Amino acid sequence: QVQLVESGGGLVQPGGSLRLSCVASGFTFSSYSMNWYRRGPGKERELVAAITPLFNTTTYADSVKGRFTISRDNAKNTVYLQMDSVKPEDTAVYYCRVFKGVKEYWGKGTLVTVSS
């Protein structure tokens, strides 16, 4: 069965860095695009970053371009989100997501709090 397990969240000061990880299982990880979403306080869930299979083409929300980097390690079935120069508005629960067949799978999320 498909499982996505996020980790790496926590409290970080503005301007600091954090790296989130999502370990996937139950499917051929290297064949699927992987996404990071987030939902902040009082906000709708939004796509933060995505990465394709094979060529590792990446896309980012305008709000995080130049600060966040998505990457993947297919040998470890893991997708990462490197968060640099974080801002208070980055505070959110971050979720890993994949579409497999007709179904959408989500991790349980990891909380990132950016505060001084």
Side-chain angles (χ1 to χ4, degrees), residues 29-90:
F29 177 81
S30 61
S31 297
Y32 290 87
S33 291
M34 299 297 299
N35 307 143
W36 283 101
Y37 279 77
R38 69 184 182 187
R39 185 168 62 193
K43 302 177 182 178
E44 295 185 353
R45 188 171 59 195
E46 65 175 340
L47 177 65
V48 176
I51 185 166
T52 67
L54 185 58
F55 296 113
N56 294 342
T57 302
T58 58
T59 56
Y60 298 93
D62 288 341
S63 59
V64 307
K65 285 181 179 178
R67 300 188 297 116
F68 291 9
T69 304
I70 188 172
S71 62
R72 66 193 299 160
D73 185 340
N74 291 335
K76 296 181 178 180
N77 285 358
T78 302
V79 60
Y80 303 95
L81 185 68
Q82 178 67 43
M83 305 169 59
D84 296 321
S85 302
V86 297
K87 303 175 180 180
E89 52 263 44
D90 295 323

